[in-house]
mmCIF file of all heavy atoms in Angstrom:
data_model
loop_
_atom_site.group_PDB
_atom_site.id
_atom_site.type_symbol
_atom_site.label_atom_id
_atom_site.label_comp_id
_atom_site.label_asym_id
_atom_site.label_seq_id
_atom_site.Cartn_x
_atom_site.Cartn_y
_atom_site.Cartn_z
ATOM 1 N N ASP A 1263 29.084 -38.484 6.430
ATOM 2 C CA ASP A 1263 28.617 -39.771 6.015
ATOM 3 C C ASP A 1263 28.997 -40.756 7.038
ATOM 4 O O ASP A 1263 29.909 -40.677 7.822
ATOM 5 C CB ASP A 1263 29.348 -40.117 4.723
ATOM 6 C CG ASP A 1263 28.941 -39.350 3.452
ATOM 7 O OD1 ASP A 1263 27.715 -39.081 3.413
ATOM 8 O OD2 ASP A 1263 29.779 -39.089 2.713
ATOM 9 N N ASP A 1264 28.228 -41.843 7.003
ATOM 10 C CA ASP A 1264 28.409 -43.003 7.923
ATOM 11 C C ASP A 1264 29.137 -43.980 6.998
ATOM 12 O O ASP A 1264 28.659 -44.535 6.032
ATOM 13 C CB ASP A 1264 27.086 -43.597 8.343
ATOM 14 C CG ASP A 1264 27.388 -44.681 9.492
ATOM 15 O OD1 ASP A 1264 28.627 -44.879 9.864
ATOM 16 O OD2 ASP A 1264 26.417 -45.285 9.935
ATOM 17 N N ALA A 1265 30.475 -44.264 7.168
ATOM 18 C CA ALA A 1265 31.237 -45.217 6.477
ATOM 19 C C ALA A 1265 30.829 -46.662 6.845
ATOM 20 O O ALA A 1265 30.692 -46.979 8.092
ATOM 21 C CB ALA A 1265 32.669 -45.021 6.718
ATOM 22 N N LEU A 1266 30.474 -47.402 5.782
ATOM 23 C CA LEU A 1266 30.067 -48.843 6.057
ATOM 24 C C LEU A 1266 31.045 -49.797 5.476
ATOM 25 O O LEU A 1266 31.631 -49.538 4.346
ATOM 26 C CB LEU A 1266 28.625 -49.009 5.385
ATOM 27 C CG LEU A 1266 27.586 -48.012 5.797
ATOM 28 C CD1 LEU A 1266 26.314 -48.171 5.000
ATOM 29 C CD2 LEU A 1266 27.269 -48.141 7.365
ATOM 30 N N ASP A 1267 31.052 -51.044 5.992
ATOM 31 C CA ASP A 1267 31.899 -52.109 5.462
ATOM 32 C C ASP A 1267 31.018 -52.898 4.621
ATOM 33 O O ASP A 1267 29.856 -52.576 4.289
ATOM 34 C CB ASP A 1267 32.536 -52.933 6.626
ATOM 35 C CG ASP A 1267 31.540 -53.772 7.425
ATOM 36 O OD1 ASP A 1267 30.286 -53.845 6.968
ATOM 37 O OD2 ASP A 1267 31.960 -54.321 8.473
ATOM 38 N N ALA A 1268 31.553 -53.992 4.034
ATOM 39 C CA ALA A 1268 30.868 -54.797 2.980
ATOM 40 C C ALA A 1268 29.444 -55.406 3.581
ATOM 41 O O ALA A 1268 28.537 -55.588 2.921
ATOM 42 C CB ALA A 1268 31.720 -55.896 2.558
ATOM 43 N N GLU A 1269 29.388 -55.589 4.858
ATOM 44 C CA GLU A 1269 28.292 -56.053 5.485
ATOM 45 C C GLU A 1269 27.300 -54.949 6.016
ATOM 46 O O GLU A 1269 26.338 -55.218 6.760
ATOM 47 C CB GLU A 1269 28.607 -57.047 6.598
ATOM 48 C CG GLU A 1269 28.838 -58.380 6.195
ATOM 49 C CD GLU A 1269 30.408 -58.574 5.870
ATOM 50 O OE1 GLU A 1269 31.212 -57.881 6.491
ATOM 51 O OE2 GLU A 1269 30.710 -59.138 4.832
ATOM 52 N N LYS A 1270 27.609 -53.749 5.568
ATOM 53 C CA LYS A 1270 26.747 -52.537 5.963
ATOM 54 C C LYS A 1270 26.817 -52.219 7.406
ATOM 55 O O LYS A 1270 25.953 -51.669 8.003
ATOM 56 C CB LYS A 1270 25.348 -52.719 5.516
ATOM 57 C CG LYS A 1270 25.131 -53.056 4.090
ATOM 58 C CD LYS A 1270 25.451 -51.802 3.208
ATOM 59 C CE LYS A 1270 25.235 -52.140 1.794
ATOM 60 N NZ LYS A 1270 25.831 -51.196 0.925
ATOM 61 N N ARG A 1271 28.015 -52.557 8.131
ATOM 62 C CA ARG A 1271 28.226 -52.186 9.523
ATOM 63 C C ARG A 1271 28.964 -50.949 9.569
ATOM 64 O O ARG A 1271 29.801 -50.621 8.640
ATOM 65 C CB ARG A 1271 29.047 -53.263 10.137
ATOM 66 C CG ARG A 1271 28.308 -54.558 10.403
ATOM 67 C CD ARG A 1271 29.192 -55.690 11.038
ATOM 68 N NE ARG A 1271 30.347 -55.845 10.097
ATOM 69 C CZ ARG A 1271 31.006 -57.055 10.019
ATOM 70 N NH1 ARG A 1271 30.646 -58.025 10.808
ATOM 71 N NH2 ARG A 1271 31.990 -57.169 9.186
ATOM 72 N N SER A 1272 28.643 -50.201 10.420
ATOM 73 C CA SER A 1272 29.265 -48.723 10.627
ATOM 74 C C SER A 1272 30.772 -48.891 10.885
ATOM 75 O O SER A 1272 31.075 -49.676 11.867
ATOM 76 C CB SER A 1272 28.469 -47.946 11.617
ATOM 77 O OG SER A 1272 29.137 -46.750 11.761
ATOM 78 N N LEU A 1273 31.477 -48.203 10.243
ATOM 79 C CA LEU A 1273 32.949 -47.870 10.487
ATOM 80 C C LEU A 1273 33.237 -46.559 11.138
ATOM 81 O O LEU A 1273 34.323 -46.246 11.428
ATOM 82 C CB LEU A 1273 33.726 -48.194 9.258
ATOM 83 C CG LEU A 1273 33.660 -49.465 8.474
ATOM 84 C CD1 LEU A 1273 34.327 -49.439 7.246
ATOM 85 C CD2 LEU A 1273 34.235 -50.576 9.382
ATOM 86 N N GLY A 1274 32.133 -45.853 11.410
ATOM 87 C CA GLY A 1274 32.219 -44.628 11.908
ATOM 88 C C GLY A 1274 31.894 -43.488 10.947
ATOM 89 O O GLY A 1274 31.570 -43.733 9.857
ATOM 90 N N LEU A 1275 31.909 -42.199 11.477
ATOM 91 C CA LEU A 1275 31.538 -41.148 10.641
ATOM 92 C C LEU A 1275 32.789 -40.496 10.020
ATOM 93 O O LEU A 1275 33.870 -40.558 10.492
ATOM 94 C CB LEU A 1275 30.886 -39.977 11.532
ATOM 95 C CG LEU A 1275 29.666 -40.443 12.182
ATOM 96 C CD1 LEU A 1275 29.079 -39.390 13.127
ATOM 97 C CD2 LEU A 1275 28.546 -40.904 11.269
ATOM 98 N N ARG A 1276 32.492 -39.922 8.754
ATOM 99 C CA ARG A 1276 33.636 -39.242 8.067
ATOM 100 C C ARG A 1276 32.941 -38.017 7.285
ATOM 101 O O ARG A 1276 31.760 -38.013 7.061
ATOM 102 C CB ARG A 1276 34.282 -40.186 7.123
ATOM 103 C CG ARG A 1276 33.305 -40.671 5.995
ATOM 104 C CD ARG A 1276 33.954 -41.384 5.009
ATOM 105 N NE ARG A 1276 32.955 -41.838 3.992
ATOM 106 C CZ ARG A 1276 33.001 -42.871 3.177
ATOM 107 N NH1 ARG A 1276 33.898 -43.741 3.341
ATOM 108 N NH2 ARG A 1276 32.024 -43.173 2.343
ATOM 109 N N PHE A 1277 33.782 -37.173 6.881
ATOM 110 C CA PHE A 1277 33.357 -36.083 6.114
ATOM 111 C C PHE A 1277 33.427 -36.405 4.675
ATOM 112 O O PHE A 1277 34.435 -36.988 4.131
ATOM 113 C CB PHE A 1277 34.250 -34.808 6.349
ATOM 114 C CG PHE A 1277 33.949 -34.119 7.688
ATOM 115 C CD1 PHE A 1277 35.054 -34.211 8.588
ATOM 116 C CD2 PHE A 1277 32.847 -33.455 7.896
ATOM 117 C CE1 PHE A 1277 34.752 -33.553 9.919
ATOM 118 C CE2 PHE A 1277 32.602 -32.922 9.227
ATOM 119 C CZ PHE A 1277 33.565 -33.009 10.183
ATOM 120 N N SER A 1278 32.347 -36.103 3.976
ATOM 121 C CA SER A 1278 32.336 -36.403 2.457
ATOM 122 C C SER A 1278 33.411 -35.558 1.783
ATOM 123 O O SER A 1278 33.605 -34.410 2.062
ATOM 124 C CB SER A 1278 30.983 -35.902 1.838
ATOM 125 O OG SER A 1278 30.913 -35.980 0.544
ATOM 126 N N GLU A 1279 33.972 -36.072 0.776
ATOM 127 C CA GLU A 1279 35.019 -35.438 -0.068
ATOM 128 C C GLU A 1279 34.313 -34.746 -1.229
ATOM 129 O O GLU A 1279 35.043 -34.060 -2.010
ATOM 130 C CB GLU A 1279 36.034 -36.429 -0.572
ATOM 131 C CG GLU A 1279 36.853 -36.956 0.578
ATOM 132 C CD GLU A 1279 38.009 -37.967 0.206
ATOM 133 O OE1 GLU A 1279 38.314 -37.993 -1.004
ATOM 134 O OE2 GLU A 1279 38.440 -38.621 0.991
ATOM 135 N N THR A 1280 33.011 -34.949 -1.534
ATOM 136 C CA THR A 1280 32.481 -34.507 -2.755
ATOM 137 C C THR A 1280 31.204 -33.503 -2.488
ATOM 138 O O THR A 1280 30.863 -32.720 -3.186
ATOM 139 C CB THR A 1280 32.020 -35.617 -3.687
ATOM 140 O OG1 THR A 1280 31.091 -36.370 -2.883
ATOM 141 C CG2 THR A 1280 33.191 -36.426 -4.132
ATOM 142 N N GLU A 1281 30.513 -33.797 -1.315
ATOM 143 C CA GLU A 1281 29.268 -33.009 -1.080
ATOM 144 C C GLU A 1281 29.454 -32.094 -0.013
ATOM 145 O O GLU A 1281 29.862 -32.250 1.061
ATOM 146 C CB GLU A 1281 28.018 -34.025 -0.695
ATOM 147 C CG GLU A 1281 26.807 -33.261 -0.647
ATOM 148 C CD GLU A 1281 25.647 -34.321 -0.488
ATOM 149 O OE1 GLU A 1281 25.687 -35.477 -1.015
ATOM 150 O OE2 GLU A 1281 24.580 -33.891 0.183
ATOM 151 N N VAL A 1282 29.142 -30.723 -0.263
ATOM 152 C CA VAL A 1282 29.358 -29.618 0.612
ATOM 153 C C VAL A 1282 27.855 -29.180 0.985
ATOM 154 O O VAL A 1282 27.045 -29.047 0.170
ATOM 155 C CB VAL A 1282 30.123 -28.508 0.101
ATOM 156 C CG1 VAL A 1282 30.122 -27.329 0.924
ATOM 157 C CG2 VAL A 1282 31.562 -29.037 -0.164
ATOM 158 N N HIS A 1283 27.658 -28.809 2.267
ATOM 159 C CA HIS A 1283 26.350 -28.291 2.732
ATOM 160 C C HIS A 1283 26.541 -26.867 3.248
ATOM 161 O O HIS A 1283 27.632 -26.498 3.648
ATOM 162 C CB HIS A 1283 25.737 -29.131 3.758
ATOM 163 C CG HIS A 1283 25.293 -30.494 3.372
ATOM 164 N ND1 HIS A 1283 24.864 -31.360 4.251
ATOM 165 C CD2 HIS A 1283 25.272 -31.029 2.206
ATOM 166 C CE1 HIS A 1283 24.499 -32.474 3.729
ATOM 167 N NE2 HIS A 1283 24.712 -32.325 2.391
ATOM 168 N N PHE A 1284 25.457 -26.012 3.191
ATOM 169 C CA PHE A 1284 25.429 -24.885 3.949
ATOM 170 C C PHE A 1284 24.313 -25.133 4.951
ATOM 171 O O PHE A 1284 23.379 -25.742 4.843
ATOM 172 C CB PHE A 1284 25.237 -23.525 3.075
ATOM 173 C CG PHE A 1284 24.050 -23.653 2.189
ATOM 174 C CD1 PHE A 1284 22.869 -23.035 2.514
ATOM 175 C CD2 PHE A 1284 24.049 -24.273 0.906
ATOM 176 C CE1 PHE A 1284 21.672 -23.018 1.741
ATOM 177 C CE2 PHE A 1284 23.030 -24.225 0.098
ATOM 178 C CZ PHE A 1284 21.856 -23.709 0.505
ATOM 179 N N VAL A 1285 24.614 -24.291 6.166
ATOM 180 C CA VAL A 1285 23.799 -24.664 7.361
ATOM 181 C C VAL A 1285 23.018 -23.457 7.768
ATOM 182 O O VAL A 1285 23.666 -22.440 8.128
ATOM 183 C CB VAL A 1285 24.691 -25.134 8.544
ATOM 184 C CG1 VAL A 1285 23.894 -25.549 9.729
ATOM 185 C CG2 VAL A 1285 25.572 -26.349 8.021
ATOM 186 N N CYS A 1286 21.705 -23.515 7.957
ATOM 187 C CA CYS A 1286 21.000 -22.411 8.424
ATOM 188 C C CYS A 1286 21.284 -22.252 9.967
ATOM 189 O O CYS A 1286 21.361 -23.194 10.730
ATOM 190 C CB CYS A 1286 19.397 -22.807 8.416
ATOM 191 S SG CYS A 1286 18.368 -21.542 9.084
ATOM 192 N N PRO A 1287 21.634 -20.991 10.271
ATOM 193 C CA PRO A 1287 22.139 -20.694 11.609
ATOM 194 C C PRO A 1287 21.179 -20.758 12.734
ATOM 195 O O PRO A 1287 21.520 -20.847 13.916
ATOM 196 C CB PRO A 1287 22.700 -19.200 11.523
ATOM 197 C CG PRO A 1287 22.043 -18.742 10.347
ATOM 198 C CD PRO A 1287 21.677 -19.780 9.393
ATOM 199 N N TRP A 1288 19.876 -20.848 12.430
ATOM 200 C CA TRP A 1288 18.833 -20.930 13.415
ATOM 201 C C TRP A 1288 18.817 -22.291 14.076
ATOM 202 O O TRP A 1288 18.811 -22.356 15.330
ATOM 203 C CB TRP A 1288 17.499 -20.555 12.918
ATOM 204 C CG TRP A 1288 17.143 -19.184 12.747
ATOM 205 C CD1 TRP A 1288 18.071 -18.113 12.762
ATOM 206 C CD2 TRP A 1288 15.797 -18.549 12.529
ATOM 207 N NE1 TRP A 1288 17.403 -16.881 12.648
ATOM 208 C CE2 TRP A 1288 16.125 -17.084 12.511
ATOM 209 C CE3 TRP A 1288 14.560 -19.029 12.388
ATOM 210 C CZ2 TRP A 1288 15.054 -16.232 12.275
ATOM 211 C CZ3 TRP A 1288 13.569 -18.185 12.164
ATOM 212 C CH2 TRP A 1288 13.768 -16.774 12.117
ATOM 213 N N HIS A 1289 18.751 -23.364 13.367
ATOM 214 C CA HIS A 1289 18.531 -24.754 13.981
ATOM 215 C C HIS A 1289 19.352 -25.681 13.350
ATOM 216 O O HIS A 1289 19.153 -26.903 13.663
ATOM 217 C CB HIS A 1289 17.010 -25.099 13.934
ATOM 218 C CG HIS A 1289 16.060 -24.166 14.544
ATOM 219 N ND1 HIS A 1289 15.250 -23.319 13.831
ATOM 220 C CD2 HIS A 1289 15.868 -23.866 15.887
ATOM 221 C CE1 HIS A 1289 14.541 -22.520 14.631
ATOM 222 N NE2 HIS A 1289 14.931 -22.867 15.821
ATOM 223 N N GLY A 1290 20.269 -25.401 12.481
ATOM 224 C CA GLY A 1290 21.285 -26.311 11.902
ATOM 225 C C GLY A 1290 20.880 -27.136 10.835
ATOM 226 O O GLY A 1290 21.426 -28.181 10.518
ATOM 227 N N VAL A 1291 19.712 -26.697 10.166
ATOM 228 C CA VAL A 1291 19.272 -27.530 9.011
ATOM 229 C C VAL A 1291 20.303 -27.325 7.860
ATOM 230 O O VAL A 1291 20.631 -26.169 7.589
ATOM 231 C CB VAL A 1291 17.851 -26.991 8.614
ATOM 232 C CG1 VAL A 1291 17.361 -27.821 7.334
ATOM 233 C CG2 VAL A 1291 16.897 -27.420 9.633
ATOM 234 N N GLU A 1292 20.639 -28.446 7.285
ATOM 235 C CA GLU A 1292 21.715 -28.444 6.202
ATOM 236 C C GLU A 1292 21.041 -28.568 4.833
ATOM 237 O O GLU A 1292 20.055 -29.263 4.538
ATOM 238 C CB GLU A 1292 22.634 -29.592 6.464
ATOM 239 C CG GLU A 1292 23.449 -29.364 7.666
ATOM 240 C CD GLU A 1292 24.389 -30.569 7.948
ATOM 241 O OE1 GLU A 1292 24.857 -31.255 6.966
ATOM 242 O OE2 GLU A 1292 24.678 -30.858 9.085
ATOM 243 N N TYR A 1293 21.746 -27.829 3.853
ATOM 244 C CA TYR A 1293 21.211 -27.902 2.489
ATOM 245 C C TYR A 1293 22.469 -28.148 1.574
ATOM 246 O O TYR A 1293 23.546 -27.732 1.889
ATOM 247 C CB TYR A 1293 20.616 -26.549 2.001
ATOM 248 C CG TYR A 1293 19.453 -26.342 2.822
ATOM 249 C CD1 TYR A 1293 19.375 -25.562 3.930
ATOM 250 C CD2 TYR A 1293 18.112 -26.693 2.339
ATOM 251 C CE1 TYR A 1293 18.184 -25.217 4.627
ATOM 252 C CE2 TYR A 1293 16.914 -26.514 3.056
ATOM 253 C CZ TYR A 1293 16.957 -25.748 4.181
ATOM 254 O OH TYR A 1293 15.739 -25.477 4.861
ATOM 255 N N ASP A 1294 22.254 -28.975 0.628
ATOM 256 C CA ASP A 1294 23.299 -29.426 -0.325
ATOM 257 C C ASP A 1294 23.616 -28.181 -1.244
ATOM 258 O O ASP A 1294 22.699 -27.587 -1.826
ATOM 259 C CB ASP A 1294 22.825 -30.594 -1.265
ATOM 260 C CG ASP A 1294 23.855 -31.069 -2.225
ATOM 261 O OD1 ASP A 1294 24.734 -30.379 -2.533
ATOM 262 O OD2 ASP A 1294 23.733 -32.279 -2.518
ATOM 263 N N PHE A 1295 24.867 -27.780 -1.197
ATOM 264 C CA PHE A 1295 25.296 -26.630 -2.035
ATOM 265 C C PHE A 1295 24.948 -26.742 -3.507
ATOM 266 O O PHE A 1295 24.424 -25.852 -4.164
ATOM 267 C CB PHE A 1295 26.731 -26.306 -1.798
ATOM 268 C CG PHE A 1295 27.282 -25.230 -2.674
ATOM 269 C CD1 PHE A 1295 26.995 -23.862 -2.538
ATOM 270 C CD2 PHE A 1295 27.970 -25.444 -3.845
ATOM 271 C CE1 PHE A 1295 27.330 -22.836 -3.235
ATOM 272 C CE2 PHE A 1295 28.438 -24.501 -4.665
ATOM 273 C CZ PHE A 1295 28.143 -23.111 -4.389
ATOM 274 N N ALA A 1296 25.087 -27.927 -4.065
ATOM 275 C CA ALA A 1296 24.998 -28.162 -5.440
ATOM 276 C C ALA A 1296 23.500 -28.218 -5.911
ATOM 277 O O ALA A 1296 23.249 -27.872 -7.003
ATOM 278 C CB ALA A 1296 25.610 -29.520 -5.853
ATOM 279 N N THR A 1297 22.626 -28.657 -4.987
ATOM 280 C CA THR A 1297 21.246 -28.927 -5.328
ATOM 281 C C THR A 1297 20.183 -28.051 -4.640
ATOM 282 O O THR A 1297 19.035 -27.845 -5.148
ATOM 283 C CB THR A 1297 20.805 -30.283 -5.270
ATOM 284 O OG1 THR A 1297 20.764 -30.681 -3.874
ATOM 285 C CG2 THR A 1297 21.787 -31.247 -6.050
ATOM 286 N N GLY A 1298 20.512 -27.567 -3.517
ATOM 287 C CA GLY A 1298 19.576 -26.906 -2.672
ATOM 288 C C GLY A 1298 18.710 -27.853 -1.792
ATOM 289 O O GLY A 1298 17.804 -27.393 -1.132
ATOM 290 N N GLN A 1299 18.860 -29.218 -1.968
ATOM 291 C CA GLN A 1299 18.118 -30.116 -1.261
ATOM 292 C C GLN A 1299 18.425 -30.111 0.208
ATOM 293 O O GLN A 1299 19.555 -30.110 0.609
ATOM 294 C CB GLN A 1299 18.445 -31.552 -1.738
ATOM 295 C CG GLN A 1299 17.846 -31.837 -3.094
ATOM 296 C CD GLN A 1299 18.224 -33.186 -3.737
ATOM 297 O OE1 GLN A 1299 19.422 -33.585 -3.567
ATOM 298 N NE2 GLN A 1299 17.169 -33.974 -4.231
ATOM 299 N N CYS A 1300 17.221 -30.323 1.032
ATOM 300 C CA CYS A 1300 17.419 -30.423 2.485
ATOM 301 C C CYS A 1300 18.032 -31.874 2.801
ATOM 302 O O CYS A 1300 17.691 -32.819 2.290
ATOM 303 C CB CYS A 1300 16.104 -30.282 3.078
ATOM 304 S SG CYS A 1300 16.098 -30.372 4.846
ATOM 305 N N SER A 1301 19.012 -31.752 3.770
ATOM 306 C CA SER A 1301 19.806 -33.038 4.023
ATOM 307 C C SER A 1301 18.950 -34.110 4.693
ATOM 308 O O SER A 1301 19.147 -35.346 4.616
ATOM 309 C CB SER A 1301 21.060 -32.766 4.833
ATOM 310 O OG SER A 1301 20.723 -32.257 6.120
ATOM 311 N N TYR A 1302 17.977 -33.663 5.565
ATOM 312 C CA TYR A 1302 17.189 -34.712 6.249
ATOM 313 C C TYR A 1302 15.954 -35.273 5.494
ATOM 314 O O TYR A 1302 15.381 -36.197 5.847
ATOM 315 C CB TYR A 1302 16.826 -34.183 7.611
ATOM 316 C CG TYR A 1302 15.673 -33.175 7.644
ATOM 317 C CD1 TYR A 1302 14.320 -33.333 7.479
ATOM 318 C CD2 TYR A 1302 16.174 -31.865 7.776
ATOM 319 C CE1 TYR A 1302 13.496 -32.297 7.525
ATOM 320 C CE2 TYR A 1302 15.179 -30.712 7.885
ATOM 321 C CZ TYR A 1302 13.800 -31.063 7.691
ATOM 322 O OH TYR A 1302 12.925 -30.017 7.765
ATOM 323 N N ASP A 1303 15.583 -34.590 4.383
ATOM 324 C CA ASP A 1303 14.575 -35.028 3.523
ATOM 325 C C ASP A 1303 14.778 -34.511 2.079
ATOM 326 O O ASP A 1303 14.474 -33.449 1.839
ATOM 327 C CB ASP A 1303 13.219 -34.438 4.049
ATOM 328 C CG ASP A 1303 12.052 -35.034 3.286
ATOM 329 O OD1 ASP A 1303 12.148 -35.591 2.201
ATOM 330 O OD2 ASP A 1303 10.868 -34.894 3.749
ATOM 331 N N ARG A 1304 15.426 -35.324 1.280
ATOM 332 C CA ARG A 1304 15.803 -34.976 -0.061
ATOM 333 C C ARG A 1304 14.661 -34.608 -0.990
ATOM 334 O O ARG A 1304 14.815 -33.971 -1.991
ATOM 335 C CB ARG A 1304 16.681 -36.006 -0.743
ATOM 336 C CG ARG A 1304 17.960 -36.316 -0.028
ATOM 337 C CD ARG A 1304 18.888 -35.129 -0.294
ATOM 338 N NE ARG A 1304 20.170 -35.405 0.330
ATOM 339 C CZ ARG A 1304 21.346 -34.843 -0.072
ATOM 340 N NH1 ARG A 1304 21.382 -34.021 -1.041
ATOM 341 N NH2 ARG A 1304 22.444 -35.090 0.558
ATOM 342 N N ARG A 1305 13.436 -34.704 -0.537
ATOM 343 C CA ARG A 1305 12.203 -34.330 -1.274
ATOM 344 C C ARG A 1305 11.996 -32.814 -1.143
ATOM 345 O O ARG A 1305 11.326 -32.206 -1.966
ATOM 346 C CB ARG A 1305 10.954 -35.072 -0.931
ATOM 347 C CG ARG A 1305 11.043 -36.570 -1.191
ATOM 348 C CD ARG A 1305 9.876 -37.323 -0.559
ATOM 349 N NE ARG A 1305 9.969 -37.099 0.876
ATOM 350 C CZ ARG A 1305 9.104 -37.421 1.803
ATOM 351 N NH1 ARG A 1305 7.993 -37.972 1.312
ATOM 352 N NH2 ARG A 1305 9.281 -37.307 3.174
ATOM 353 N N LEU A 1306 12.562 -32.257 -0.105
ATOM 354 C CA LEU A 1306 12.478 -30.781 0.097
ATOM 355 C C LEU A 1306 13.576 -30.087 -0.472
ATOM 356 O O LEU A 1306 14.786 -30.548 -0.323
ATOM 357 C CB LEU A 1306 12.412 -30.563 1.687
ATOM 358 C CG LEU A 1306 11.360 -31.095 2.448
ATOM 359 C CD1 LEU A 1306 11.416 -30.895 3.884
ATOM 360 C CD2 LEU A 1306 9.926 -30.672 1.982
ATOM 361 N N LYS A 1307 13.353 -28.952 -1.092
ATOM 362 C CA LYS A 1307 14.517 -28.202 -1.843
ATOM 363 C C LYS A 1307 14.122 -26.733 -1.737
ATOM 364 O O LYS A 1307 13.074 -26.454 -2.076
ATOM 365 C CB LYS A 1307 14.474 -28.806 -3.283
ATOM 366 C CG LYS A 1307 15.614 -28.354 -4.118
ATOM 367 C CD LYS A 1307 15.517 -29.070 -5.459
ATOM 368 C CE LYS A 1307 16.631 -28.743 -6.400
ATOM 369 N NZ LYS A 1307 16.608 -29.385 -7.688
ATOM 370 N N LEU A 1308 15.250 -26.041 -1.546
ATOM 371 C CA LEU A 1308 15.026 -24.579 -1.556
ATOM 372 C C LEU A 1308 14.912 -24.068 -3.122
ATOM 373 O O LEU A 1308 15.304 -24.754 -4.051
ATOM 374 C CB LEU A 1308 16.375 -23.820 -1.072
ATOM 375 C CG LEU A 1308 16.674 -24.020 0.306
ATOM 376 C CD1 LEU A 1308 18.050 -23.372 0.679
ATOM 377 C CD2 LEU A 1308 15.563 -23.472 1.236
ATOM 378 N N ARG A 1309 14.160 -23.088 -3.205
ATOM 379 C CA ARG A 1309 13.934 -22.584 -4.650
ATOM 380 C C ARG A 1309 15.348 -22.024 -5.052
ATOM 381 O O ARG A 1309 15.926 -21.358 -4.457
ATOM 382 C CB ARG A 1309 12.963 -21.322 -4.537
ATOM 383 C CG ARG A 1309 12.685 -20.688 -5.960
ATOM 384 C CD ARG A 1309 11.635 -19.619 -5.739
ATOM 385 N NE ARG A 1309 11.516 -18.858 -7.039
ATOM 386 C CZ ARG A 1309 10.852 -17.735 -7.256
ATOM 387 N NH1 ARG A 1309 10.298 -17.263 -6.174
ATOM 388 N NH2 ARG A 1309 10.800 -17.133 -8.360
ATOM 389 N N SER A 1310 15.577 -22.389 -6.288
ATOM 390 C CA SER A 1310 16.955 -21.917 -6.891
ATOM 391 C C SER A 1310 16.751 -20.927 -7.945
ATOM 392 O O SER A 1310 15.668 -20.691 -8.562
ATOM 393 C CB SER A 1310 17.751 -23.192 -7.502
ATOM 394 O OG SER A 1310 17.021 -23.555 -8.555
ATOM 395 N N PHE A 1311 17.807 -20.107 -8.172
ATOM 396 C CA PHE A 1311 17.809 -19.009 -9.239
ATOM 397 C C PHE A 1311 19.074 -19.154 -9.985
ATOM 398 O O PHE A 1311 20.182 -19.646 -9.523
ATOM 399 C CB PHE A 1311 17.807 -17.656 -8.525
ATOM 400 C CG PHE A 1311 16.504 -17.493 -7.664
ATOM 401 C CD1 PHE A 1311 16.601 -17.900 -6.349
ATOM 402 C CD2 PHE A 1311 15.403 -16.889 -8.108
ATOM 403 C CE1 PHE A 1311 15.456 -17.747 -5.477
ATOM 404 C CE2 PHE A 1311 14.267 -16.677 -7.329
ATOM 405 C CZ PHE A 1311 14.253 -17.161 -6.157
#
Side-chain angles (χ1 to χ4, degrees):
D1263 285 325
D1264 192 3
L1266 303 175
D1267 68 12
E1269 281 82 42
K1270 305 291 183 190
R1271 293 179 296 210
S1272 178
L1273 300 173
L1275 299 176
R1276 66 173 181 208
F1277 289 110
S1278 171
E1279 295 181 15
T1280 58
E1281 190 171 327
V1282 174
H1283 290 177
F1284 54 97
V1285 183
C1286 178
W1288 278 15
H1289 302 107
V1291 174
E1292 297 179 25
Y1293 295 93
D1294 185 334
F1295 174 74
T1297 66
Q1299 290 177 311
C1300 182
S1301 66
Y1302 70 81
D1303 186 345
R1304 295 287 180 159
R1305 295 171 297 173
L1306 301 175
K1307 187 175 180 180
L1308 293 173
R1309 180 178 172 192
S1310 63
F1311 300 87

